[in-house]
Amino acid sequence: MVSEQDVTTPPKGRRDPQARKSAIISAAADLLMENGPAGLTHRAIAKRAGVSLGSTTQYFSSLDELRETALNHIAQEIDAELDEIAPLFVDVDSASTRAASIMVEFLNDPRQVQREIALINAGTTNPSMRDLAGLWFDRLVELLAEHIGQERATAIAVYLDGLTIHAAL
């Protein structure tokens, strides 16, 4: 007789490669945010992800590929958050108050600040990562420019980049 547990539990030894790969990417992203690129090693990533050391090289041909994938993961998280706040700028009369509130929350969240700093750092040290590093800035300007014009939107984004760096320090 087959028990309910046997039906819902995968056989012992069965693996979920996509979940393992996702865990590795998330661990790499976290380490980049916490320690910068110098803290990113296969050993540290495997330990953080709870996977074997060989798993990091099974899914990624090099540490550079894994770093780039982790930075893309960070950028996708940021992009998704910008999508969430975009509707808040529709009502221009109250948008500045809401935008200030959102930025205060952002600047007080160490994970979000570290995430943005990791992208900025990658863009300053690796020319191929500059577009990715500028994603937050460009998207914010795009969101704001529709309501307050390109020049003002750019000025605000530059100011907020400076605040982000200050918050990280």
Side-chain angles (χ1 to χ4, degrees):
M1 179 176 222
V2 178
S3 72
E4 185 177 325
Q5 183 179 6
D6 293 335
V7 173
T8 58
T9 306
K12 195 170 190 164
R14 190 164 190 177
R15 300 176 185 215
D16 183 352
Q18 190 55 45
R20 184 178 301 125
K21 185 176 180 179
S22 293
I24 291 168
I25 294 167
S26 292
D30 288 345
L31 288 168
L32 275 170
M33 291 183 294
E34 293 167 14
N35 306 317
L40 199 64
T41 66
H42 285 289
R43 192 171 307 283
I45 295 165
K47 183 177 179 182
R48 174 67 63 94
V51 301
S52 69
L53 183 57
S55 292
T56 62
T57 56
Q58 177 182 356
Y59 296 103
F60 302 95
S61 62
S62 67
L63 196 55
D64 288 337
E65 179 188 359
L66 180 49
R67 180 182 303 110
E68 188 172 329
T69 302
L71 289 166
N72 274 295
H73 175 76
I74 291 169
Q76 288 171 358
E77 286 180 346
I78 291 169
D79 201 36
E81 289 171 4
L82 286 170
D83 285 341
E84 286 179 27
I85 67 168
L88 299 176
F89 296 108
V90 172
D91 179 12
V92 178
D93 293 334
S94 60
S96 61
T97 303
R98 283 194 304 266
S101 176
I102 290 167
M103 273 315 294
V104 167
E105 282 182 43
F106 169 81
L107 293 169
N108 284 313
D109 183 341
R111 178 173 165 69
Q112 289 195 28
V113 170
Q114 290 170 344
R115 194 173 57 187
E116 182 61 25
I117 293 300
L119 286 173
I120 290 170
N121 186 36
T124 60
T125 58
N126 183 345
S128 69
M129 300 303 292
R130 288 200 178 121
D131 287 341
L132 190 63
L135 177 69
W136 181 87
F137 183 92
D138 295 340
R139 281 290 313 282
L140 184 61
V141 169
E142 178 186 314
L143 289 172
L144 294 174
E146 184 178 329
H147 305 288
I148 62 173
Q150 186 75 24
E151 190 174 302
R152 286 181 178 165
T154 302
I156 289 171
V158 168
Y159 177 74
L160 294 177
D161 264 355
L163 282 175
T164 302
I165 292 169
H166 181 73
L169 293 173

